[in-house]
Amino acid sequence: MMQRSISLKAYRCPQTGRDIHYSFAHLRGDRQQSSSPLSSNNDEAQTNNILKNDESNKTTIIGPSAACWIFFYPAGPNRRLLEAVISRYTPEFQCDRDVFFICLNRPGKGGTSSSSSITATDASNISPEQEYIRTACDDIITIIDYYQVPKVSLLYMCAGSTFAYSFAKLHSERTTGYILGMSSWILRHDGNRSNDEGDNADDTIDYSTPSNMNSKIHSWAMRGYFGSKSMVSSLAGGVVGSVPGLFSSLPQHWVVDGFKKELSDNERKEFDAQYPEDGGVAFVKMMTWSHGDGDGDGSVFVNVDNSNVDESNGNRIPNTNDGNAKDIAVCLSTQQDLGMEYKPSVPKQKRVLLWHGENDRMVSVAGAEYLESMLSNATLSYVSGGTHQGTMFFFPRDLMLELNQISNLNGPIDSLESINLHLVLGGQCKSSCLRCLLYPPLGNGNGRSAM
């Protein structure tokens, strides 16, 4: 079995009885660099010198001296997707500080306890989707409190966007103010503002989303053509849950060919370069492993004796395997449904950096441009020829540079506000900035990211 870059962990909350399953990665920053920070060297010895496996659960405190990122996976996968993120990022890792990544299984997914059942008669008057999101965000607080992390930066893919921005809204005091997003899923808005906006409402702004933002299937589902939200979510969630079995049962070349069919020419070339010898067998194994987490398979509890984990504990909130369905229900919700209009709800961030494929057919570029316009200090980079899946799978190289820069500068040495930021205007920096002194500009000269 290949050595993994991440550890699979679990925490049983003594106050609430919730089990929270998550993945954990530690990249060591206190090593001597022998190559360029942008080297594409994939030497195994160098990689092993960066990664610090923590299967023995020796890390109990991260504290404020290290950088910590929370990764929000898209609908479908789970905490194991962090393995692909770390494998992709490690060759480009260049930080003086230790950097930690944590990815939590959302409620009802991979062993994590489900969120509470909410009815319309509850005094809180919140929807099941809102309760699901709040529980997911509260679980993050539980884990970062355990590791004594004062603030975290946020990294997301696709449908993870709603949870990232919700966390920034609900727990702004626990974020650094830096959010990085790929292939963002954008919630629809019909232009009618919700009651949650209060004094933050701006009557001069059109909050409605572009009509051509989503695929036809999503638009039809939003209009109720396929049935109620709960029915569609339940059916779609069941399909998503069957994906690991499909990966295992279908001929491998079907899986590979089906995935490559959705990619652009450049992305297919990159896929072939990454999997040059086995026809994508390693890709299928990776996808099967990253989608199949069972009931938190492989987790080691950090605060409970693993030899005496009592599954019948009456105080333990069970996992009813409804996480996939609730993820879909969130995607089928509007901003008003969730009480989270991007413009007034998400607090002003220091930087929000977005990457979106020009050929994204799941969420169009028009949707990404809308999200950029709704968020303060947001910058959208277009991935030339990028598709929805390809942008996430081969995430842009300049995103990794931003991971390095932000990881080096936030926390106790949070000095970005006193440094000229990297502001791209016509492909050139507006002024000399630290990022461009350390890392030469990428892209094709028009402000658009290269793959």
Side-chain angles (χ1 to χ4, degrees), residues 228-280:
S228 66
K229 182 196 296 186
S230 60
M231 185 186 76
V232 172
S233 300
S234 180
L235 291 174
V239 172
V240 170
S242 68
V243 168
L246 291 175
F247 283 139
S248 301
S249 59
L250 292 176
Q252 292 180 330
H253 71 276
W254 286 15
V255 177
V256 173
D257 292 346
F259 181 79
K260 291 176 66 176
K261 184 179 179 180
E262 299 299 318
L263 302 179
S264 67
D265 291 340
N266 287 338
E267 290 168 344
R268 280 192 285 270
K269 291 178 182 178
E270 187 156 0
F271 181 95
D272 292 337
Q274 187 164 336
Y275 301 101
E277 299 176 354
D278 57 8

Side-chain angles (χ1 to χ4, degrees), residues 354-428:
L354 309 171
W355 285 264
H356 211 88
E358 290 181 324
N359 295 335
D360 192 322
R361 293 185 296 177
M362 181 75 70
V363 181
S364 71
V365 169
E369 292 169 343
Y370 166 84
L371 182 62
E372 179 190 30
S373 71
M374 289 291 110
L375 298 172
S376 300
N377 293 330
T379 300
L380 170 64
S381 293
Y382 301 84
V383 180
S384 179
T387 62
H388 187 76
Q389 297 292 346
T391 298
M392 293 187 288
F393 193 77
F394 304 110
F395 54 92
R397 194 180 181 193
D398 50 344
L399 182 146
M400 292 181 274
L401 303 184
E402 298 294 353
L403 281 173
N404 284 335
Q405 184 193 25
I406 294 170
S407 296
N408 269 326
L409 291 174
N410 65 25
I413 52 173
D414 193 359
S415 57
L416 268 180
E417 291 183 350
S418 62
I419 297 175
N420 290 323
L421 298 180
H422 178 70
L423 301 176
V424 177
L425 185 62
Q428 300 295 323

Side-chain angles (χ1 to χ4, degrees), residues 182-217:
M182 292 168 276
S183 301
S184 302
W185 182 266
I186 295 102
L187 300 171
R188 295 201 67 85
H189 197 300
D190 62 10
N192 296 314
R193 297 192 297 273
S194 76
N195 294 327
D196 286 357
E197 293 185 16
D199 295 333
N200 292 323
D202 188 337
D203 293 331
T204 66
I205 295 176
D206 180 8
Y207 289 79
S208 56
T209 44
S211 59
N212 62 340
M213 183 177 77
N214 298 110
S215 66
K216 289 184 178 179
I217 292 179

Side-chain angles (χ1 to χ4, degrees), residues 70-323:
I70 299 296
F71 171 59
F72 300 84
Y73 56 80
N78 52 70
R79 59 175 177 167
R80 294 188 176 195
L81 189 61
L82 182 62
E83 170 76 23
V85 173
I86 298 302
S87 297
R88 187 76 173 167
Y89 173 48
T90 300
E92 307 285 356
F93 177 72
Q94 178 75 13
C95 291
D96 295 328
R97 311 164 67 201
D98 281 15
V99 180
F100 292 83
F101 287 82
I102 300 174
C103 177
L104 285 74
N105 276 348
R106 293 194 276 271
K109 181 95 170 181
T112 293
S113 297
S114 295
S115 56
S116 301
S117 297
I118 298 295
T119 65
T121 58
D122 285 339
S124 56
N125 196 30
I126 64 174
S127 68
E129 292 77 32
Q130 287 175 300
E131 175 63 14
Y132 176 62
I133 292 170
R134 291 188 186 189
T135 304
C137 293
D138 289 345
D139 283 350
I140 295 173
I141 294 297
T142 297
I143 296 302
I144 64 177
D145 279 351
Y146 171 76
Y147 287 108
Q148 299 182 31
V149 180
K151 294 188 177 185
V152 293
S153 301
L154 310 179
L155 171 68
Y156 71 80
M157 292 180 178
C158 189
S161 61
T162 301
F163 299 89
Y165 293 121
S166 295
F167 185 81
K169 171 189 174 182
L170 297 173
H171 301 286
S172 59
E173 77 285 355
R174 300 301 297 273
T175 66
T176 62
Y178 303 111
I179 303 177
L180 307 184
M182 292 168 276
S183 301
S184 302
W185 182 266
I186 295 102
L187 300 171
R188 295 201 67 85
H189 197 300
D190 62 10
N192 296 314
R193 297 192 297 273
S194 76
N195 294 327
D196 286 357
E197 293 185 16
D199 295 333
N200 292 323
D202 188 337
D203 293 331
T204 66
I205 295 176
D206 180 8
Y207 289 79
S208 56
T209 44
S211 59
N212 62 340
M213 183 177 77
N214 298 110
S215 66
K216 289 184 178 179
I217 292 179
H218 176 261
S219 298
W220 292 341
M222 291 286 291
R223 294 170 185 165
Y225 291 173
F226 303 131
S228 66
K229 182 196 296 186
S230 60
M231 185 186 76
V232 172
S233 300
S234 180
L235 291 174
V239 172
V240 170
S242 68
V243 168
L246 291 175
F247 283 139
S248 301
S249 59
L250 292 176
Q252 292 180 330
H253 71 276
W254 286 15
V255 177
V256 173
D257 292 346
F259 181 79
K260 291 176 66 176
K261 184 179 179 180
E262 299 299 318
L263 302 179
S264 67
D265 291 340
N266 287 338
E267 290 168 344
R268 280 192 285 270
K269 291 178 182 178
E270 187 156 0
F271 181 95
D272 292 337
Q274 187 164 336
Y275 301 101
E277 299 176 354
D278 57 8
V281 172
F283 165 77
V284 176
K285 289 181 178 179
M286 183 273 293
M287 293 293 284
T288 302
W289 186 82
S290 64
H291 280 73
D293 201 15
D295 194 28
D297 296 347
S299 289
V300 177
F301 277 82
V302 297
N303 66 329
V304 176
D305 185 348
N306 286 269
S307 63
N308 295 311
V309 173
D310 185 8
E311 294 295 336
S312 63
N313 187 337
N315 294 325
R316 174 180 176 267
I317 299 177
N319 165 25
T320 57
N321 295 311
D322 57 351

Side-chain angles (χ1 to χ4, degrees), residues 54-73:
D54 195 53
E55 292 289 358
S56 62
N57 288 327
K58 291 182 179 179
T59 300
T60 57
I61 297 177
I62 295 176
S65 61
C68 185
W69 291 84
I70 299 296
F71 171 59
F72 300 84
Y73 56 80

